[in-house]
Amino acid sequence: MTGRASAREVIALVTDAFTELPYPARDFRRDGPLAWPGYDLSRARGAERTGESESVVCGTAEVEGTRAVLIAFEFGFLGGSLGERTGDRLAAAYAHAREHRLPVVPLVATGGSRMQEGMLALTQLQRVARESALTRQAGLAQIAVLRDPTTGGGWATLGAGADVVLALPGAQVGFAGSRVRPADADPAAYTAEAQVAAGAADAVVPEGELRETLGRWLRLLTGASGEPAPVPEPLGARDLPASGWDAVRRARSPRRPRAPKYLDAYFTHRVAVRGDRCGGTDPDGMLCGFGEHGGRTVAYAAQTGAATRPAGYRTATRLIRLADRLGIPVLTLVDTPGAANDAEAERQGAGAAIAELFGVLATVRTPVTTLVIGEGGSGGALALAAPGRTWAAPDSYFSVIAPEMAAAILKRPPAEVAETAGQLRIRPQDLAELGVIRSPERGTP
C-alpha cells in the first residue's frame, strides 16, 4: 500500500469481514456549534474527497478468527480530527464492544481535536477516556494500531491509552503535531520507532504482517483462564547442589539455560510487551509478554540473569496488571543477581518500582506461578516471586543477599565466602525445607 491509507483501506488490510455500526444522529447549527465561517464547506469537501461523513469509521470485524470492534480514522476528513460527532461514534463503538464483550482495535490516524468546534471538540477527549476506562473495567482488551500521523489527543487517549500499542513503520507519533513543535525539535523523536525505544509502544509492525500480528494479539488477549500456569520443566541440571557455594556456581554458570530458552520451550508462540509507559525499557533485564501454552494463553515476566532496572520492574507490573484484568494466568521466571543499584537506577525510582511490583503480586486475583531458574538475588528477585507459589530449578539459588556481600558485611575474609553461602541455606532443598518454595523440582500448582 503506497501513500497514506484511507480508513477503508486500513480496514481491508486487517479483515475481509467488516460490518459498519449505525451512527447516532446529531443536529448542528449552520457551521457547527461555534458558527465557524466555512466549517460546513470544509466538511462537505472532506466528505467529497473521502466518501465518508465523519473522521472515523466504526464497525465489527473478524480478524484472523477473533471478533472485534474496529475504529478506523479517516485522515482525509479534516485531518482525522475529533469533533462532537466523532465523539458520538466513538462512544457508540465502545458501548457496543462492552455490550457484546468484544475487544476494541483503534486504527489511529489523527491530528488531534477539531479547531472549528473549539472546547466542545477538546472535551471529546474526556469522553473517549471515560469510554476506554469503562471498557478496561469490563475486562476487555484494547489494541491500538498507530498510523501516520498519530498526534495530539488521539495519541494521548485512543493510542497511548490502549493495553497494547502497535505501530506502522515510519508513522509520525507524538503528542505535539508537526506544526506546533519547537523549531529545533528533533523529528526523529516523533516517530513510531522512537516511541517503541522509549517504552511508549510495544512494536513496529510492517503493513504486510499487520493482519497476522493483530490476529495473534487478539487471540491471546481474549483467552481468559482461571487455571494456574503449569510449572516449566527444568532445562538444566537435574541433580541438587551439594553445597551452598555449589548452588551459587551452578546458577552463575554461563552454560546454564536462561529465560529465552525456557520461554521457547514453554510456549508454542509468544508476543512481547515492551516498555513501562514512563519513558523506559529494560530489554536486557526483563522479558514480558503473552504466549500460548497447552492451547491457552499465559502471560510471562522473565528476568534474564542481568541486574533488573526500574523500567523492567515497571514493565512487569504493567504486564501482570493487564493479565489480572483480562483473567489470564501469569508465569514469572526469577533470575537476577539483584536490582540495579547504580546512581541512575536510583534516579529512575528503583525502590518505588520494586515496591509497586511487590504490591501487585500481593493483590492480583489471577494465579501466578513462579520458577527460580538461576540467581535469586535478594529483594530484586523476590519482587517477581509469587507468594506461596514459587518453585526452584535444581541449578538455582535464592538468598537474602549475595554470599560475597554477606561475608563483607560480617567482616569475614574472602576465604569464608563459601562457608557463608552454606550458612545462608540458599540451595533449592534448603529453601523447600524452610517453606520458602514449594519444591526444589517441578511441582503441580
Side-chain angles (χ1 to χ4, degrees), residues 249-264:
R249 286 187 301 170
R250 288 163 58 154
R252 292 176 179 175
S253 170
R255 296 184 297 275
R256 174 183 55 78
R258 262 54 178 186
K261 189 169 183 178
Y262 271 92
L263 296 175
D264 287 344

Side-chain angles (χ1 to χ4, degrees), residues 4-309:
R4 181 172 284 149
S6 69
R8 303 284 174 173
E9 287 173 334
V10 76
I11 289 171
L13 197 63
V14 300
T15 183
D16 297 318
F18 177 77
T19 302
E20 198 163 352
L21 291 171
Y23 299 122
R26 177 186 285 265
D27 293 327
F28 272 156
R29 58 178 291 183
R30 180 179 176 82
D31 284 330
L34 304 187
W36 187 282
Y39 181 36
D40 284 351
L41 181 59
S42 296
R43 287 181 55 85
R45 287 173 176 168
E48 181 179 4
R49 181 167 52 249
T50 65
E52 306 296 346
S53 58
E54 240 320 319
S55 59
V56 290
V57 176
C58 306
T60 58
E62 291 267 344
V63 181
E64 297 287 277
T66 302
R67 286 189 67 223
V69 169
L70 300 188
I71 297 170
F73 278 73
E74 177 52 72
F75 191 79
F77 191 100
L78 297 179
S81 57
L82 279 75
E84 287 189 295
R85 287 177 176 170
T86 323
D88 292 343
R89 292 191 176 196
L90 294 173
Y94 273 100
H96 184 88
R98 293 193 298 274
E99 180 183 356
H100 297 276
R101 304 294 303 165
L102 298 176
V104 180
V105 180
L107 303 161
V108 190
T110 174
S113 300
R114 195 168 297 170
M115 292 182 299
Q116 296 92 330
E117 295 185 27
M119 281 300 298
L120 293 175
L122 188 64
T123 57
Q124 299 308 305
L125 301 181
Q126 294 174 321
R127 190 178 180 192
V128 171
R130 173 174 169 76
E131 292 297 330
S132 177
L134 291 173
T135 304
R136 189 176 298 112
Q137 290 174 3
L140 300 170
Q142 298 173 66
I143 305 173
V145 177
L146 312 181
R147 299 152 55 209
D148 183 44
T150 298
T151 60
W155 164 231
T157 52
L158 291 156
D163 300 315
V164 173
V165 180
L166 310 176
L168 295 181
Q172 179 189 173
V173 181
F175 186 65
S178 59
R179 297 183 183 180
V180 296
R181 297 170 192 157
D184 60 350
D186 178 8
Y190 302 85
T191 62
E193 290 77 6
Q195 296 295 350
V196 171
D202 294 290
V204 172
V205 182
E207 280 187 356
E209 300 173 17
L210 183 58
R211 181 181 293 204
E212 180 183 0
T213 300
L214 184 57
R216 180 171 292 181
W217 271 109
L218 286 168
R219 285 194 303 275
L220 288 170
L221 295 190
T222 54
S225 170
E227 293 297 316
V231 183
E233 294 281 355
L235 299 180
R238 298 292 174 146
D239 60 314
L240 294 170
S243 67
W245 188 242
D246 183 34
V248 172
R249 286 187 301 170
R250 288 163 58 154
R252 292 176 179 175
S253 170
R255 296 184 297 275
R256 174 183 55 78
R258 262 54 178 186
K261 189 169 183 178
Y262 271 92
L263 296 175
D264 287 344
Y266 192 81
F267 291 110
T268 306
H269 61 83
R270 55 191 168 97
V271 290
V273 162
R274 295 186 178 91
D276 62 2
R277 299 300 188 257
C278 301
T281 61
D282 185 19
D284 297 327
M286 184 77 76
L287 304 176
C288 295
F290 294 84
E292 182 179 299
H293 175 83
R296 63 194 184 98
T297 303
V298 174
Y300 65 87
Q303 291 170 318
T304 64
T308 309
R309 305 202 64 80

Side-chain angles (χ1 to χ4, degrees), residues 229-236 259 262 266 301-303 330-335 368-375 381 384-386 389-396 398 437 439-443:
V231 183
E233 294 281 355
L235 299 180
Y262 271 92
Y266 192 81
Q303 291 170 318
V330 178
L331 170 70
T332 66
L333 301 179
V334 170
D335 186 9
V368 181
T369 301
T370 298
L371 179 66
V372 185
I373 63 171
E375 290 196 82
L384 200 63
R389 291 190 51 80
T390 295
W391 284 258
D395 46 3
S396 69
F398 219 143
I437 65 170
S439 168
E441 299 176 346
R442 184 180 183 275

